[in-house]
Amino acid sequence: MTAHAGTQQKQELSNGMLGFILFLASEVMFFGGLFAAYFIARADSPQWPPALSAAQEARGVELHLEFALPFIATCVLVLSSVTMQLGVWAIQKGDRSALIRWLFISIVLGLAFLTAQMYDYSQLPFKSGDTIYGTTFYTLTGFHGAHVAGGIIFMMVILVRSFGGQFSAQRHEGVEACSFYWHFVDVIWLALFTTLYIV
């Protein structure tokens, strides 16, 4: 009876991870649609960024991006992905204290990224309604920022559970799921940064 219950519990955990992977797959398709909309808008525009109207020029609208702050924020987000993975490796060895430490650092780095993004928004010389360029930029980065916020909440939940001693070297599927999501958020941002700031 005990062996059967253990097998059943293990199967439920596997099903949970499978469901989470399918969720990530749906998120890939979601962002794939956003990227497709961006490239279609860019291909349909005679020039990129699009020409401004006289009213927009009178308001001082300029369609350009600063590179330095987003680049620093990108480095911060990449570093947070590294610290998250260090947390996974720690709990795989049964080191719950190290997991808590790396989770806390990852959360702080994630919050630093969001703060940098909000500050960058406040300094940009255009708004979401200023041509299709502004609309696509704020849509792509805004949805990503929402996913970063969701990832931070996810990590906070895992951190609270870690304080409660719910993870061990044998049982840490939730930590791995959190790391998968955070790595996904990181990869999406690298694609966004390349598309919006470099290409």
Side-chain angles (χ1 to χ4, degrees), residues 65-79 112-113 116-117 120 137 186 189-190 192-194 196-198:
L65 299 170
E66 296 297 330
F67 182 82
L69 181 60
F71 177 75
I72 294 171
T74 300
C75 294
V76 169
L77 193 62
V78 170
L79 181 59
F113 173 85
Q117 186 176 28
D120 188 46
F137 173 83
D186 195 350
W189 176 254
L190 290 175
L192 278 173
F193 182 77
T194 301
L196 298 173
Y197 293 90
I198 297 177

Side-chain angles (χ1 to χ4, degrees), residues 59 61 63 121-122 124-131 133-135 138:
R59 286 194 292 112
V61 174
L63 299 179
Y121 278 176
S122 71
L124 289 175
F126 63 91
K127 303 301 179 184
S128 60
D130 292 325
T131 78
Y133 179 86
T135 301
Y138 280 98

Side-chain angles (χ1 to χ4, degrees), residues 107-176:
I107 290 169
V108 170
L109 292 173
L111 290 171
F113 173 85
L114 279 183
T115 301
Q117 186 176 28
M118 293 301 101
Y119 178 77
D120 188 46
Y121 278 176
S122 71
Q123 300 301 305
L124 289 175
F126 63 91
K127 303 301 179 184
S128 60
D130 292 325
T131 78
I132 191 65
Y133 179 86
T135 301
T136 54
F137 173 83
Y138 280 98
T139 299
L140 284 166
T141 58
F143 272 113
H144 178 266
H147 281 73
V148 171
I152 291 171
I153 293 171
F154 196 173
M155 286 192 289
M156 287 179 174
V157 171
I158 296 298
L159 180 62
V160 171
R161 293 182 62 190
S162 298
F163 277 116
Q166 297 184 24
F167 301 115
S168 65
Q170 294 74 34
R171 186 182 179 89
H172 52 265
E173 194 173 71
V175 180
E176 292 187 337

Side-chain angles (χ1 to χ4, degrees), residues 8-112:
Q8 184 177 12
Q9 186 180 34
K10 183 177 180 181
Q11 182 64 32
E12 288 174 356
L13 290 173
S14 298
N15 287 340
M17 183 60 79
L18 176 61
F20 187 78
I21 291 172
L22 291 175
F23 164 73
L24 286 183
S26 70
E27 290 291 284
V28 170
M29 289 186 285
F30 171 77
F31 276 101
L34 292 180
F35 275 104
Y38 171 83
F39 284 112
I40 289 171
R42 184 167 180 168
D44 286 345
S45 179
Q47 67 182 63
W48 196 260
L52 294 170
S53 67
Q56 289 169 332
E57 290 181 348
R59 286 194 292 112
V61 174
E62 298 178 21
L63 299 179
H64 68 82
L65 299 170
E66 296 297 330
F67 182 82
L69 181 60
F71 177 75
I72 294 171
T74 300
C75 294
V76 169
L77 193 62
V78 170
L79 181 59
S80 73
S81 197
V82 172
T83 57
M84 183 69 225
Q85 188 59 42
L86 289 172
V88 173
W89 290 337
I91 196 60
Q92 286 174 346
K93 297 175 182 177
D95 191 345
R96 187 164 57 89
S97 296
L99 169 63
I100 291 171
R101 181 171 62 252
W102 290 122
L103 277 171
F104 180 77
I105 294 172
S106 299
I107 290 169
V108 170
L109 292 173
L111 290 171

